[in-house]
Amino acid sequence: MRCAGASAVDCVFKALLGAESNRDLLIHFLNAVLGADLPRAITAVDIQNPYNEKEFLDDKLTVVDVKARDATGQMYQVEVQLLNHRDLPARIL
């Protein structure tokens, strides 16, 4: 896996949770993190292209660490942050 421009943590995280061969690990991770907020446990995911294409000309292309869709169609975008930046909540939205 190439991780040009990514930190070592991002690269390892993507290799662990963003690889088809580790799909079960991603399912367990999502259930562990989101369990209380989920109507039912996630049992299957399809790992998606991590690029979020621009919707408008002046939009910025964004890339997340891992993007997956579950069997109900719910999309999950997983991003690892080592530091809690002051503007992080606004960036997430």
Side-chain angles (χ1 to χ4, degrees):
M1 169 177 272
R2 292 189 60 204
C3 292
S7 74
V9 171
D10 279 342
C11 194
V12 169
F13 185 80
K14 288 176 186 183
L16 287 174
L17 297 182
E20 289 291 332
S21 60
N22 293 333
R23 190 184 314 204
D24 288 343
L25 185 59
L26 175 60
I27 292 168
H28 290 298
F29 174 82
L30 291 172
N31 282 317
V33 172
L34 302 173
D37 296 321
L38 293 171
R40 62 188 164 275
I42 298 167
T43 59
V45 293
D46 288 321
I47 296 174
Q48 307 284 307
N49 179 344
Y51 291 88
N52 292 318
E53 299 296 332
K54 297 182 191 185
E55 292 182 26
F56 302 99
L57 286 176
D58 58 345
D59 282 352
K60 180 177 146 185
L61 175 73
T62 59
V63 184
V64 295
D65 289 332
V66 177
K67 184 170 25 172
R69 185 178 305 275
D70 71 13
T72 68
Q74 178 68 41
M75 181 70 74
Y76 301 92
Q77 295 188 86
V78 183
E79 183 68 25
V80 173
Q81 297 295 314
L82 296 178
L83 300 173
N84 187 9
H85 296 282
R86 178 177 48 86
D87 60 342
L88 186 60
R91 287 182 60 200
I92 291 171
L93 292 175

